[in-house]
Amino acid sequence: FMQRIIYLGDSTVTWNHISTYPQTGLSQGLLWYVKDDVFVRSFAINGRSTKSFIDQGRLAAAEEYIQAGDFVFIQFGHNDQKQSDPLRYAEPYGAYQENLKRMADIARNKGAYPVIISSVARRLFDNKGNFLPGSHGEYPKAAEELAKRENIPFIELTKKSEEYLTKLGDF
């Protein structure tokens, strides 16, 4: 059974302070859907890519915390694609996949269960209110390919959230 979920990621999954309401990360919302005895801890932080998450010591902090039996949810991509920022950019079929693998390997080495999750879609609409899919380019596909190659469970959140935003529409 699942007792602890450890989240690694960016602003889309971080715990937000009341001062940023209504911004809510997925790790916060997850609590509404798990049993009361499941503990969720987020190491996610706004603006981080796989590269900056590692470089700034967030992965090292998570590694100290992760225990055998934990589920480690790994969700990045929003900031990895920022080519103009060398502190965050990670090429999808290069450093991005390598960094995801490093995170998953740490989880496995600790006896935990990594799960790679593709990025939640960006909420982008044209001037007629039509949703614009594909804002993450190759990153969701790169994450899925790595997960398959490394036999890591994968959750396809990009397509699901794109479908949802298409139905929801702009408001």
Side-chain angles (χ1 to χ4, degrees):
F1 72 102
M2 186 182 301
Q3 245 186 314
R4 294 187 351 155
I5 298 170
I6 312 305
Y7 238 116
L8 312 181
D10 55 34
S11 63
T12 64
V13 299
T14 194
W15 285 87
N16 288 275
H17 188 269
I18 190 68
S19 65
T20 64
Y21 183 81
Q23 184 178 3
T24 304
L26 292 174
S27 61
Q28 282 174 283
L30 184 61
L31 289 174
W32 297 332
Y33 301 97
V34 296
K35 293 183 178 184
D36 290 342
D37 62 347
V38 175
F39 180 79
V40 178
R41 169 79 191 269
S42 179
F43 284 86
I45 191 166
N46 291 9
R48 298 315 179 267
S49 66
T50 57
K51 180 183 182 334
S52 62
F53 189 87
I54 293 168
D55 291 348
Q56 295 173 4
R58 300 297 293 180
L59 180 57
E63 183 176 8
E64 288 183 25
Y65 187 80
I66 295 169
Q67 299 175 1
D70 288 347
F71 283 76
V72 180
F73 290 2
I74 305 165
Q75 186 175 335
F76 288 92
H78 268 74
N79 300 304
D80 290 86
Q81 66 188 119
K82 297 184 177 183
Q83 292 183 21
S84 62
D85 186 349
L87 298 177
R88 295 191 286 182
Y89 179 66
E91 198 274 331
Y93 294 100
Y96 176 68
Q97 284 185 328
E98 292 163 13
N99 294 338
L100 292 176
K101 183 180 181 316
R102 179 175 174 187
M103 294 174 193
D105 286 347
I106 285 171
R108 285 179 164 167
N109 290 339
K110 298 280 258 175
Y113 306 102
V115 178
I116 293 178
I117 305 170
S118 62
S119 298
V120 66
R122 293 182 190 277
R123 191 179 170 279
L124 296 174
F125 293 84
D126 66 17
N127 59 3
K128 294 181 181 176
N130 298 309
F131 176 69
L132 301 171
S135 64
H136 293 303
E138 290 295 307
Y139 288 86
K141 185 176 175 187
E144 183 174 16
E145 286 181 12
L146 172 75
K148 283 182 183 176
R149 184 171 64 241
E150 297 296 323
N151 197 29
I152 301 166
F154 178 74
I155 297 173
E156 173 43 87
L157 187 57
T158 305
K159 289 178 187 169
K160 290 184 185 309
S161 56
E162 286 179 346
E163 290 168 4
Y164 176 72
L165 287 169
T166 299
K167 286 181 193 172
L168 186 63
D170 198 8
F171 52 87

